[in-house]
Amino acid sequence: MPHNLRFRPVGVHGSSQQLAAHPGSGATYREIYPAYLSQWPVTDKLYAQISDYGGLHAKPNRTEKQPAAFVLTLEQGRLLADNTLSVAVLSADNKLVGDASFQYDVARADLARPEDNTIFGQRWFKAPVQVRGTVCSLLSGGGAATGNYYHWLIDSLPRLHLVQEAGLWESIDYFLIYDKKRQFVVDSLLALGIRSEQIVDVSTHGHLVADRLLVTSPVRGQGTHNPEWACDFLRQALLPAAAPQQFSPYVYLSRRDAPGRHVLNEDHVEEMLAPYGFESHVLSDYTFTQQIALFAGAKMVVAPTGAGLANLVFAPVGTPVIEMFPKHFTVMEYPELCYRLGLSHQFLVSEPVAGPIKSRREAWSEHLLVNLETLKQELRHASSFPRVATVLCLTEFPDMSAFVSPV
């Protein structure tokens, strides 16, 4: 039965900037970075291997138009986030602010038009919570809404940089996130100086009206390329929070705790890597600040593809990364991120270990069987990079000569 239909928006503002230009709109627009053309010179070898499932999961774009990055303040702004497929940001005149909202089309696996935001089809609305003061939304929809570490770090947290550059940080009373039970989310905010009492989540504030609602443009615009300002912010703001703990600089990440993408011959992979100083890590065992410390001290990273590689934002420039993909889940996220971060990226693709894969959902959990000889070749290649050649001395790792190419 329909309920509170007055909260269904009556239209769309396609542009935050144009909305703010209207007298009496109660909107203030601040452009932080201008629009630009983003480039990613992905190699033909990698491009050929990347899986194509269409939409945001199609073959990667070598060039993307990145819209301006902005902060929008809405007097009596309203926000509804009661599902993972949309975040509806609404102005005081009860219209959706299209370029500040999030809407996703599952059928196309792609972003949808603002007019197709799920709020327009909704027939039952819970009355919004009234919030005195200023609320800053860090909601980015999609993977972040399901608690994915990568999407929180890449798509949500950098929004704080835009707020900081706008000079609005000190004016914020509350920060809206998806789930306060996600400890890494809370820990990352605490590391930035946000107090626990300032953090609210959608379990209590999934529909709210604030005296002032502060939202930003999507970090990656309407595409998939990471802006360098976001990577710089994560490094500069969070590296000082690294735990005072030392690890081996040769890092292997295991997904043995994950629901999919297991390395089926991981015992053999670890056995092969161990004599060269590699230590295995299951990231769910570590706090957020321990993960920062692990990657901040890395000199080489070997891992099956997975959200934990978002921590590469904390690795030193030049760190070699060897990413291992299942045959049907060879994705662009971390090669592209490595390019932005100045990390050298290499990869290997496992041969299929099961029957035919018919969808990305199936491919997401596909396991790997790593070819050890191929991995050795990638390690030899990685050791030839100038930065690594200076640290892999035989006095530290007696057997590393097997990995070093002849000069």
Side-chain angles (χ1 to χ4, degrees):
M1 178 178 293
H3 181 66
N4 282 335
L5 284 180
R6 67 185 182 278
F7 294 121
R8 181 191 287 173
V10 296
V12 173
H13 290 295
S15 164
S16 293
Q17 186 173 21
Q18 292 178 11
L19 167 62
H22 292 163
S25 67
T28 304
Y29 174 91
R30 297 172 176 86
E31 182 176 304
I32 309 302
Y33 295 106
Y36 67 100
L37 196 64
S38 175
Q39 307 282 349
W40 178 34
V42 57
T43 65
D44 291 340
K45 177 184 176 183
L46 176 59
Y47 187 91
Q49 290 287 348
I50 290 178
S51 308
D52 186 352
Y53 294 102
L56 292 176
H57 310 296
K59 292 288 187 178
N61 299 318
R62 288 186 164 99
T63 301
E64 283 186 355
K65 292 181 179 179
Q66 289 287 342
F70 64 83
V71 177
L72 180 69
T73 304
L74 295 169
E75 302 290 336
Q76 293 302 306
R78 183 160 62 95
L79 183 146
L80 177 65
D82 60 357
N83 64 82
T84 63
L85 301 179
S86 71
V87 178
V89 174
L90 303 118
S91 52
D93 61 355
N94 198 25
K95 289 186 178 181
L96 184 85
V97 185
D99 58 354
S101 298
F102 171 82
Q103 37 276 321
Y104 185 78
D105 184 334
V106 174
R108 297 187 302 109
D110 207 347
L111 298 176
R113 303 179 310 153
E115 292 81 2
D116 296 324
N117 191 292
T118 59
I119 194 172
F120 288 105
Q122 196 159 324
R123 302 178 69 243
W124 195 96
F125 291 87
K126 184 179 180 180
V129 176
Q130 301 284 333
V131 182
R132 295 298 180 191
T134 301
V135 176
C136 174
S137 170
L138 298 177
L139 307 184
S140 57
T146 64
N148 182 274
Y149 185 86
Y150 166 84
H151 287 287
W152 166 252
L153 208 60
I154 299 300
D155 293 324
S156 292
L157 210 52
R159 293 168 185 253
L160 289 172
H161 171 70
L162 300 179
V163 173
Q164 189 177 49
E165 290 299 300
L168 296 172
W169 188 291
E170 296 301 324
S171 71
I172 298 169
D173 298 296
Y174 303 102
F175 295 84
L176 178 64
I177 62 173
Y178 279 106
D179 187 356
K180 289 195 291 186
K181 295 192 293 292
R182 300 281 181 182
Q183 196 59 46
F184 66 84
V185 172
V186 173
D187 287 348
S188 63
L189 295 178
L190 295 178
L192 293 170
I194 294 170
R195 303 186 308 277
S196 58
E197 63 268 24
Q198 291 181 286
I199 304 171
V200 295
D201 70 15
V202 298
S203 67
T204 56
H205 291 73
H207 191 194
L208 64 81
V209 175
D211 290 343
R212 288 165 301 280
L213 176 63
L214 202 157
V215 295
T216 78
S217 52
V219 173
R220 292 188 284 174
Q222 301 300 305
T224 55
H225 289 192
N226 286 285
E228 291 184 7
W229 60 259
C231 299
D232 291 343
F233 166 72
L234 292 171
R235 276 179 160 162
Q236 294 168 13
L238 289 171
L239 275 174
Q245 188 170 350
Q246 291 188 338
F247 301 91
S248 167
Y250 301 98
V251 177
Y252 173 75
L253 299 185
S254 171
R255 285 182 56 86
R256 63 173 63 98
D257 63 329
R261 272 172 277 141
H262 298 160
V263 175
L264 299 180
N265 58 336
E266 188 163 69
D267 288 348
H268 294 105
V269 170
E270 292 175 324
E271 184 180 356
M272 189 193 81
L273 293 174
Y276 308 106
F278 281 89
E279 291 182 354
S280 296
H281 305 274
V282 178
L283 293 182
S284 61
D285 294 338
Y286 298 156
T287 66
F288 179 69
T289 58
Q290 286 177 317
Q291 292 184 55
I292 297 175
L294 174 65
F295 280 79
K299 293 179 179 178
M300 189 181 296
V301 178
V302 178
T305 190
L309 284 174
N311 288 304
L312 289 170
V313 297
F314 306 122
V317 172
T319 301
V321 178
I322 301 175
E323 186 174 8
M324 303 182 296
F325 294 109
K327 177 64 177 177
H328 301 99
F329 198 77
T330 303
V331 295
M332 62 156 286
E333 278 78 0
Y334 303 106
E336 193 274 339
L337 184 61
C338 284
Y339 173 74
R340 303 295 166 200
L341 296 169
L343 311 180
S344 62
H345 182 273
Q346 298 160 231
F347 70 96
L348 56 87
V349 179
S350 171
E351 290 302 314
V353 296
I357 298 292
K358 299 178 181 179
S359 68
R360 187 177 186 273
R361 180 180 294 274
E362 291 181 73
W364 181 88
S365 59
E366 185 180 21
H367 300 313
L368 301 79
L369 190 64
V370 174
N371 184 306
L372 298 182
E373 285 304 314
T374 302
L375 179 57
K376 285 181 180 179
Q377 292 172 14
E378 295 301 330
L379 285 163
R380 292 190 190 103
H381 183 204
S383 69
S384 70
F385 285 96
R387 180 180 178 280
V388 181
T390 62
V391 297
L392 299 187
C393 56
L394 299 183
T395 56
E396 292 183 84
F397 301 101
D399 295 323
M400 188 55 92
S401 58
F403 284 10
V404 179
S405 300
V407 178

